[in-house]
Amino acid sequence: MDFVLNKELENSNLIYVDLIKAKSLGELRKKINQAKGLVVVQGGNDEVNREVLENRKVDILLNPEFYREKDFIHFRNSGLNQVLCKLAKKNDTAIGFSFNNLMHSEKSELTLGRMMQNVFLCRKFKLKMILGSFAEKENEIKNQSELKSFGAVLGMN
């Protein structure tokens, strides 16, 4: 995503990133190898999430709950499990949560529940967590106090 900065935003402590989004594992590997600096990858299906967390070049897996269909009978299909959390811990990969993803979700209550499940797993396995607005438009940017409140709702410290 490319952003246009104005004078007011240049002096703030916002960080702008290009998200890596891929439709296939081959395309994902190619984009990760070409990436420089902070590598942030949009979560996807189970294969994509595992590939991202196995790769040492990736810094942040953003929204592992993205593109999930149905929940399972006894637990949520949140995109993370104990195996993926152990891989993230081993490769020092942070898990990212996007406020913008929740705002644009068709079933926001389901997405919120999956995010809370992922925060629970991240706390259990002592993973790094990143919370941001990840806005695509300037009017979608949230301030720090709103994001702190959102983090508290998710269960972050």
Side-chain angles (χ1 to χ4, degrees):
M1 291 176 233
D2 294 312
F3 295 92
V4 178
L5 293 176
N6 62 19
K7 296 293 181 190
E8 296 169 3
L9 295 177
E10 285 180 7
N11 297 328
S12 65
N13 57 358
L14 299 175
I15 298 172
Y16 295 92
V17 294
D18 265 343
L19 294 177
I20 296 176
K21 297 178 183 179
K23 295 180 182 176
S24 67
L25 292 179
E27 181 184 356
L28 177 68
R29 288 185 195 113
K30 182 179 176 184
K31 286 183 177 182
I32 289 173
N33 289 332
Q34 292 174 348
K36 296 177 182 173
L38 188 67
V39 180
V40 180
V41 180
Q42 176 72 43
N45 59 23
D46 291 331
E47 293 83 25
V48 169
N49 288 349
R50 183 162 185 130
E51 181 69 30
V52 168
L53 293 174
E54 286 178 343
N55 195 321
R56 292 184 183 267
K57 290 185 178 183
V58 177
D59 297 308
I60 301 171
L61 171 62
L62 183 65
N63 300 325
E65 68 277 351
F66 209 58
Y67 296 122
R68 299 277 134 190
E69 293 179 11
K70 288 184 175 180
D71 286 342
F72 301 113
I73 292 176
H74 296 290
F75 59 94
R76 294 189 185 276
N77 185 7
S78 67
L80 283 183
N81 56 35
Q82 73 276 8
V83 175
L84 296 179
C85 288
K86 288 178 184 178
L87 281 172
K89 183 72 173 176
K90 176 184 166 192
N91 293 328
D92 197 33
T93 304
I95 307 298
F97 299 93
S98 169
F99 188 79
N100 195 38
N101 179 39
L102 181 65
M103 295 308 297
H104 292 289
S105 175
E106 291 177 8
K107 296 182 179 180
S108 58
E109 65 279 352
L110 192 61
T111 303
L112 182 64
R114 290 174 179 171
M115 287 176 151
M116 292 170 82
Q117 172 76 24
N118 287 339
V119 168
F120 173 80
L121 287 170
C122 289
R123 290 183 67 189
K124 181 178 180 178
F125 289 94
K126 297 177 175 72
L127 298 177
K128 296 176 187 174
M129 293 183 276
I130 306 292
L131 177 63
S133 65
F134 294 96
E136 295 177 1
K137 299 175 186 170
E138 189 176 332
N139 63 348
E140 294 175 347
I141 295 174
K142 301 297 177 194
N143 65 29
Q144 192 173 11
S145 63
E146 290 174 325
L147 291 176
K148 282 182 181 180
S149 298
F150 177 58
V153 167
L154 290 179
M156 293 180 176
N157 296 356

